């Protein structure tokens, strides 16, 4: 949540209309909410505990069930919110249309919990799926599927560090069309995609380098 830290500071903490915010997790590790691996804990400690967001607008997963059950329950919640028009629906699909999806990227090019060559990348019908064999621990996770990510109005990908430079090159530059990097598959159908990179992460790009 480093990229959201500024929201806790003036003037944003006073001028943002937090009552309008509804917060979801693009992916989550199926661990207790107070576990160090929990994305919920990361968000709560770094942002949610410091701003007046409405508690009922924070949608965390059920961490007391299996990954499969957690994914199914999370999708049910999403479908109810779309039905009630709390969350918009995409014009080009039946997927929810989020105002903003914020992603990171791993050195292997994974986004959310969508890893290279994993079956979850091919999921087209479910909005939320699960994995029990994550290449990095913890193994059990839930994740939005690519159709949901690509239905958002805005997708921001924040990447730092030289260890991710090669994956950034493969994700952004004009490389072989058969490149199966998950980050390269992030292509909003009717939305905007923006990459935020530091100089190290962008060091292998064919395009011009960012300013310091």
């Amino acid at each position: 949540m480093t990229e959201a830290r500024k929201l806790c500071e003036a003037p944003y903490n006073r001028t943002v209309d937090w009552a309008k915010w509804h917060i979801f997790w693009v992916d989550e590790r199926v661990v207790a909410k107070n576990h160090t691996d929990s994305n919920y804990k990361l968000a709560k400690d770094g942002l949610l505990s410091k701003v007046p967001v409405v508690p009922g607008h924070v949608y965390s997963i059920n961490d007391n069930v299996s990954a499969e059950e957690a994914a199914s329950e999370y999708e049910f919640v999403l479908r109810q919110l779309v039905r009630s028009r709390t969350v918009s629906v995409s014009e080009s699909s039946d997927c929810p249309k989020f105002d903003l999806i914020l992603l990171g990227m791993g050195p292997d090019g994974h986004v959310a919990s969508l890893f290279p060559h994993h079956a979850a990348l091919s999921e087209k019908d479910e909005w939320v799926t699960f994995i029990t064999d994550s290449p990095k621990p913890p193994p059990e996770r839930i994740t939005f599927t690519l159709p949901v990510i690509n239905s958002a109005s805005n997708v921001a990908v924040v990447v730092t560090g030289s260890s991710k430079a090669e994956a950034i090159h493969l994700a952004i530059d004009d490389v072989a069309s058969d490149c199966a990097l998950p980050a390269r598959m992030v292509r909003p159908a009717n939305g905007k995609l923006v990459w935020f990179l530091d100089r190290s992460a962008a060091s292998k790009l064919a395009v011009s380098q960012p300013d310091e």
Side-chain angles (χ1 to χ4, degrees), residues 35-191:
H35 194 284
T36 55
D37 287 330
S38 168
N39 285 335
Y40 171 84
K41 175 177 170 57
L42 180 67
K44 182 180 179 182
D45 293 348
L47 176 66
L48 302 181
S49 63
K50 300 175 181 179
V51 294
V53 65
V54 179
H57 291 179
V58 178
Y59 305 91
S60 57
I61 71 164
N62 181 355
D63 58 349
N64 293 312
V65 296
S66 68
E68 182 175 11
E69 291 171 306
S72 177
E73 289 185 15
Y74 209 56
E75 178 163 334
F76 178 79
V77 169
L78 273 180
R79 289 188 179 276
Q80 294 298 107
L81 291 168
V82 168
R83 190 170 291 117
S84 69
R85 294 296 185 263
T86 301
V87 176
S88 299
V89 65
S90 169
E91 315 90 60
S92 57
S93 70
D94 72 336
C95 290
K97 184 174 184 177
F98 291 100
D99 295 321
L100 171 66
I101 285 184
L102 179 63
L103 299 172
M105 188 198 74
D108 60 353
H110 84 267
V111 291
S113 281
L114 299 169
F115 293 91
H117 310 297
H118 197 283
L121 283 171
S122 302
E123 180 57 59
K124 297 292 190 292
D125 298 323
E126 304 296 336
W127 293 356
V128 184
T129 192
F130 70 98
I131 64 174
T132 58
D133 55 352
S134 168
K136 56 181 290 189
E140 296 194 350
R141 301 162 177 240
I142 68 103
T143 183
F144 283 1
T145 57
L146 278 171
V148 171
I149 293 172
N150 285 331
S151 293
S153 295
N154 298 278
V155 179
V157 191
V158 182
V159 187
T160 62
S162 59
S163 66
K164 302 174 183 180
E166 180 63 22
I168 285 293
H169 160 63
L170 294 174
I172 297 178
D173 282 336
D174 186 14
V175 296
S177 59
D178 61 350
C179 177
L181 211 68
R184 192 175 178 85
M185 299 177 187
V186 176
R187 294 287 186 269
N190 295 293

